[in-house]
Amino acid sequence: RAKQLHGCSYAIFEADKDTDPATQITLEPELWSGLRQEQFVLYYQPRIDLRTGKIIGAEALMRWNHPERGLVQPDEFIPIAEKTGLIVPMGYWAIHQAGQDMLKFKEAGFRYGSIGVNLSFRQFKDDFLAKTIRRIIDKNQIDPHRLEFELTETALFSDEAHVQSCLKELSALGIDFSLDDFGTGYSSFSLLQKLPISTLKIDKSFVAGVNQNKDDEEIVRAIINLAHNLQKKVIAEGVENKAQLEFLIRHDCDQVQGYFFSPPVPIEDFMRMLRGN
Ligand code: C2E
Ligand code: MG
Ligand code: MG
Ligand code: MG
């Protein structure tokens, strides 16, 4: 009871106007116990290399295997985890779990490029972010060259110096960074140059407009050109149909990810895909 009270006051303290406070209060202690009881799982969504047509990697996406609610999607718990700070331990769990899974891929002899793990802006408020990630990598024999972190533009603007030093320290280990949901946040071109970001991920809202809306098509083309002019790779997310795929191939996009190929799937299913890759 006391613990729950503590959870409540903390939740209220950090609460935002856009989340129903009642939902947030009931969910925070549940998220804690979910983490302790290993109720979280990573699903994998393949990324396809457009030059070879093969799977070149995947994005690891968190799901909550809730004992009563069933499989809970990130939109229902990540925002609350961010507001309460729980995303920090959850984020470390995700890196650890992705590392375990990568060992399985290695043992099976699969060929693939890298696995992307999402890092929330909130995780950069942890002073020990880079150090803790290093420790997780060392302790668990994770290959840093196969690990990629997906950041959103909001992460880059929290504390510029801290973000910059974290990214530098981790990229020195061989970890790649990509900028997620690109085009929806603030895009400072000087930061794009300054930070070790190797890939831009075109937000799915723009991809959805391909073959529907000329402006979205122009934005997609502009992001592809920007990425290539800055010597970066570019990935389109949210590819749902053949027309979008053909547009992306025509405009020289490097990789795609989306329901047209596969939704995020449990690790066993992803391994089955890699087997036939
Ligand atoms: P994101 O990183 O931008 O991930 C892409 C989202 O697009 C995923 O939603 C994926 O399932 C969805 N998606 C993929 N292909 C398609 C498509 O063809 N059409 C449509 N409409 N959607 C598609 P998901 O798995 O629900 O995750 C939502 C967001 O939650 C992620 O967006 C990410 O911001 C966050 N998230 C998920 N797992 C983690 C995690 O481990 N850590 C952190 N910090 N955030 C996470
Ligand atoms: Mg992502
Ligand atoms: Mg993404
Ligand atoms: Mg995205």
Side-chain angles (χ1 to χ4, degrees), residues 59 118 150 180-181 201 237 257:
E59 175 171 8
N118 291 286
E150 300 195 0
D180 208 352
D181 306 341
K201 293 191 83 170
E237 57 179 19
Q257 175 184 337

Side-chain angles (χ1 to χ4, degrees), residues 57-80:
E59 175 171 8
L61 293 153
M62 220 186 274
R63 301 288 182 265
W64 185 8
N65 228 325
H66 192 281
E68 284 113 43
R69 295 176 221 218
L71 202 65
V72 184
Q73 300 294 315
D75 293 345
E76 289 186 51
F77 65 87
I78 296 279
I80 294 160

Side-chain angles (χ1 to χ4, degrees), residues 80-229:
I80 294 160
E82 285 177 335
K83 278 170 197 133
T84 57
L86 263 171
I87 193 69
V88 174
M90 286 166 68
Y92 289 138
W93 170 83
I95 298 165
H96 174 265
Q97 188 58 52
Q100 298 295 105
D101 294 346
M102 282 156 63
L103 286 177
K104 281 195 199 166
F105 304 155
K106 191 180 172 186
E107 275 165 26
F110 294 141
R111 284 191 303 170
Y112 70 98
S114 63
I115 299 296
V117 177
N118 291 286
L119 273 191
S120 162
F121 72 97
R122 183 65 177 72
Q123 292 177 261
F124 284 93
K125 295 205 178 148
D126 176 5
D127 290 340
F128 302 104
L129 181 68
K131 199 176 266 173
T132 308
I133 291 174
R134 283 185 81 128
R135 216 181 49 226
I136 294 171
I137 287 172
D138 290 343
K139 272 187 146 177
N140 299 282
Q141 296 141 345
I142 299 172
D143 180 358
H145 294 93
R146 300 234 178 238
L147 190 57
E148 185 164 335
F149 287 122
E150 300 195 0
L151 312 169
T152 54
E153 289 160 274
T154 45
L156 306 182
F157 289 87
S158 29
D159 173 353
E160 210 179 295
H162 173 59
V163 171
Q164 203 164 340
S165 82
C166 278
L167 264 55
K168 283 217 172 105
E169 182 175 345
L170 295 172
S171 71
L173 302 177
I175 297 173
D176 274 339
F177 289 92
S178 60
L179 212 43
D180 208 352
D181 306 341
F182 189 78
T184 61
Y186 308 87
S187 312
S188 152
F189 294 135
S190 67
L191 265 180
L192 272 187
Q193 273 184 317
K194 237 190 299 184
L195 296 171
I197 289 163
S198 58
T199 307
L200 303 183
K201 293 191 83 170
I202 306 172
D203 188 68
K204 55 180 175 290
S205 61
F206 303 121
V207 176
V210 166
N211 272 26
Q212 313 251 337
N213 177 326
K214 283 276 162 259
D215 288 346
D216 285 335
E217 291 184 355
E218 282 308 322
I219 291 168
V220 169
R221 287 172 51 179
I223 296 175
I224 294 171
N225 288 330
L226 172 69
H228 288 163
N229 289 339

